[in-house]
């Protein structure tokens, strides 16, 4: 039976009040001046894929690989992706996580499109206006599909900046309890000369946070969720806790000696040779809310917002679809019984997200970057922090805001995907 994901199954079972798939709000059809068309065909299929250790994963894949093909573009290009489904019986889509595409390109089955079943296909098209580190994944039974491998990286290079000497995507994913970067579940080696400029694009494609450490060099946290920070200062011996679904771009100049990246305390990537296992445990966490230089922002805690939604996250017995059930809840209800949030185009919208449970909830709104205003009532003091996924830890209260500028119907959910499956998901709808 279909699960309570954003799946077509749910929508099909509950058509009333949940709308028909949005198909008319589609993306641009031409690149920006000077841009080019990037055509991709991606085929979803089941496969047995070996990680570098030989560990075999009973996978659902895009193009037979773990992860799927890296999709790249230059800012202003038109990205055109034809998704085909060969044999994933549960169906697939592609959701462009963190990318503010037009609603009809968003890949939410039952909401923005019909699910792509075996033998079917769907064409996505959007202009790559945002430069930065993003990812894509299926949104059908996603707590199963993403875990089994239906995801990949989307990196958009800025039009006018010189590339780093070493530019490496580091997508972290756990298969059957085995942590890997890409398909490498050992230690990746990357050549890098002293003096080389390096950008590591850390991506957390799991449902739990990961903790990173960088030993052997000072570094800057240049971007969060694909959005550049203002005035990121150099730090060292600081841990980076990356929410589920989130991305951090870390930049540094390669020193004379080797550099090692740890994930959850273990070395997973070495640059410049060497095999010392540096200690990175016990380091204080770098807090992006208080990092970098302030700059003008379109709204603060003092702004008068047109809409203010409070979401209290908890778990327990709840009414789900007219019946009592155990659920991950928002304001005491589980999907599909959580009322939609309704906004009008141009509204300034504030979310207050309160976590009353004992688990972390990485909150994710589709189609809109949100500006972090405050955590636990304390205003963010660093660089403007625009994110698409933010970790609300037990007991925390987060305030974020955005301008409603991307019409349609958007999923708004916990990115711990089993939690979303267990009810922690709702929709934001434009009037
Ligand atoms: Cu990355 Cu609705 O998801
Ligand atoms: Cu959650």
């Amino acid at each position: 039976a279909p699960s309570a994901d954003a799946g077509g199954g749910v929508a099909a079972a509950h058509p009333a009040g949940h709308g028909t798939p949005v198909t008319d709000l589609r993306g641009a059809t031409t690149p920006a001046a000077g841009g080019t068309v990037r055509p991709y065909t991606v085929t979803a299929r089941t496969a047995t894929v070996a990680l570098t250790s030989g560990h075999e994963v009973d996978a659902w894949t895009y193009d037979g690989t773990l992860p799927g093909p890296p999709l790249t573009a230059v800012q202003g290009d038109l990205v055109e992706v034809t998704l085909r489904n060969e044999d994933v019986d549960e169906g697939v889509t592609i959701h462009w996580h963190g990318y503010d595409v037009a609603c009809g390109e968003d890949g939410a089955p039952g909401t923005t499109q019909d699910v792509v079943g075996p033998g079917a296909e769907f064409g996505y098209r959007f202009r790559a206006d945002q430069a930065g580190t993003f990812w894509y994944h299926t949104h059908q039974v996603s707590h199963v599909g993403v875990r089994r491998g239906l995801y990949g990286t989307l990196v958009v290079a800025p039009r006018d900046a010189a590339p780093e000497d070493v530019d490496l995507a580091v997508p972290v994913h756990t298969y059957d309890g085995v942590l890997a970067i890409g398909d490498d579940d050992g230690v990746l080696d990357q050549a890098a000369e002293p003096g080389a400029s390096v950008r590591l694009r850390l991506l957390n494609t799991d449902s739990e946070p990961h903790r990173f450490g960088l030993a052997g060099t000072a570094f800057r946290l240049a971007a969060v969720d694909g959005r550049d920070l203002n005035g990121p200062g150099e730090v060292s011996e600081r841990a980076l806790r990356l929410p589920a679904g989130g991305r951090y771009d870390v930049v540094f100049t390669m020193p004379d000696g080797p550099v090692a990246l740890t994930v959850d305390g273990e070395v997973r990537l070495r640059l410049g040779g060497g095999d010392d296992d540096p200690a990175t445990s016990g380091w204080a966490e770098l807090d992006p809310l208080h990092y970098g230089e302030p700059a003008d922002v379109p709204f603060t805690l003092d702004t008068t917002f047109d809409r203010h939604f409070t979401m209290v996250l908890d778990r327990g017995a709840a009414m789900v679809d007219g019946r009592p059930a155990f659920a991950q809840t928002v304001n005491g209800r589980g999907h599909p019984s959580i009322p939609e949030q309704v906004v009008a185009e141009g509204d300034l919208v504030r979310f207050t997200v309160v976590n009353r449970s004992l688990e972390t909830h990485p909150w994710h709104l589709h189609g809109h970057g949100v500006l972090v205003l405050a955590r636990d009532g304390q205003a963010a003091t660093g660089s403007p922090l625009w994110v698409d996924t933010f970790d609300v830890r037990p007991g925390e209260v987060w305030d974020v805001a955005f301008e409603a500028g991307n019409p349609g119907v958007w999923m708004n959910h916990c990115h711990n995907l089993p939690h979303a499956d267990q009810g922690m998901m709702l929709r934001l709808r434009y009037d």
Side-chain angles (χ1 to χ4, degrees):
S3 72
D5 199 339
V10 167
H14 308 282
H18 288 274
T20 48
V22 173
T23 53
D24 51 339
L25 295 165
R26 302 306 305 264
T29 56
T30 55
T36 175
V37 178
R38 304 260 175 174
Y40 290 99
T41 299
V42 174
T43 303
R45 60 171 174 268
T46 62
T48 302
V49 182
L51 304 179
T52 51
S53 70
H55 177 94
E56 290 194 338
V57 180
D58 182 14
W60 297 356
T61 72
Y62 293 120
D63 283 358
T65 59
L66 292 178
L71 304 185
T72 60
V74 175
Q75 201 173 14
D77 287 352
L78 187 75
V79 178
E80 278 188 339
V81 178
T82 302
L83 168 65
R84 301 206 162 106
N85 181 1
E86 196 170 290
D87 67 346
V88 179
D89 291 340
E90 289 77 357
V92 297
T93 66
I94 295 180
H95 167 59
W96 310 98
H97 182 115
Y99 224 75
D100 299 344
V101 297
C103 191
E105 315 293 338
D106 193 49
T111 297
T112 68
Q113 66 170 97
D114 291 323
V115 68
V116 180
E121 66 176 55
F122 188 89
Y124 297 94
R125 189 159 55 189
F126 58 91
R127 193 180 286 165
D129 291 320
Q130 297 161 267
T133 307
F134 299 89
W135 64 300
Y136 66 92
H137 61 80
T138 189
H139 219 280
Q140 172 74 351
V141 290
S142 55
H143 64 296
V144 179
V146 177
R147 179 169 52 76
R148 294 180 75 158
L150 285 171
Y151 73 96
T153 59
L154 168 67
V155 172
V156 178
R159 173 68 73 91
D160 46 14
E164 276 83 5
D165 299 317
V166 175
D167 184 328
L168 191 65
V170 182
V172 170
H173 194 80
T174 304
Y175 304 96
D176 317 326
V178 178
L179 188 133
I181 294 173
D183 67 348
D184 194 322
D185 54 346
V187 181
L188 266 169
D189 279 303
Q190 169 70 45
E193 298 298 322
S197 59
V198 179
R199 177 176 297 253
L200 301 180
R201 302 174 184 271
L202 312 179
L203 301 101
N204 182 353
T205 67
D206 279 330
S207 279
E208 305 282 345
H210 285 296
R211 192 177 164 98
F212 293 83
L214 197 59
T217 185
F219 65 91
R220 296 171 204 273
L221 176 58
V224 173
D225 287 2
R227 287 119 175 136
D228 286 349
L229 298 187
N230 185 53
E234 198 168 70
V235 294
S236 54
E237 303 198 350
R238 303 296 293 277
L240 296 169
R241 185 184 190 269
L242 184 55
R247 289 87 61 214
Y248 286 158
D249 280 28
V250 168
V251 301
F252 56 91
T253 300
M254 196 61 198
D256 290 335
V259 169
L261 178 76
T262 61
V263 185
D264 303 333
E266 289 192 22
V267 174
R268 292 297 185 161
L269 169 65
R270 288 200 187 94
L271 298 103
D275 55 6
D276 292 343
D277 280 1
T280 57
S281 58
W283 289 356
E285 251 172 57
L286 186 151
D287 184 352
L289 268 71
H290 305 294
Y291 173 75
E293 300 296 325
D296 285 347
V297 288
F299 18 72
T300 70
L301 282 174
D302 297 327
T303 300
T304 303
F305 289 91
D306 301 297
R307 317 271 171 164
H308 183 179
F309 299 106
T310 297
M311 291 175 270
V312 176
L313 312 182
D314 208 342
R315 65 190 292 209
M319 293 304 282
V320 176
D321 200 21
R323 269 179 249 112
F326 179 83
Q328 297 279 353
T329 59
V330 180
N331 301 334
R333 300 186 192 202
H335 178 81
S337 297
I338 305 169
E340 287 180 343
Q341 297 165 330
V342 179
V343 301
E345 194 169 357
D347 278 354
L348 302 187
V349 184
R350 175 173 166 185
F351 284 170
T352 300
V353 187
V354 180
N355 185 351
R356 289 224 181 108
S357 78
L358 299 173
E359 298 166 284
T360 291
H361 299 296
W363 201 261
H364 174 55
L365 172 65
H366 286 207
H368 306 73
V370 301
L371 177 70
V372 178
L373 303 177
R375 182 181 54 219
D376 295 337
Q378 302 232 294
T381 60
S383 162
L385 182 60
W386 292 89
V387 298
D388 49 65
T389 316
F390 52 99
D391 252 355
V392 188
R393 301 194 214 184
E396 285 184 347
V397 179
W398 284 64
D399 280 283
V400 305
F402 59 98
E403 182 176 342
N406 198 1
V409 185
W410 301 97
M411 307 313 296
N412 189 17
H413 65 91
C414 181
H415 217 281
N416 180 315
L417 297 175
H419 292 182
D421 174 61
Q422 292 159 31
M424 203 169 261
M425 163 170 308
L426 66 153
R427 289 181 187 171
L428 180 133
R429 176 188 295 275
Y430 282 62
D431 260 339

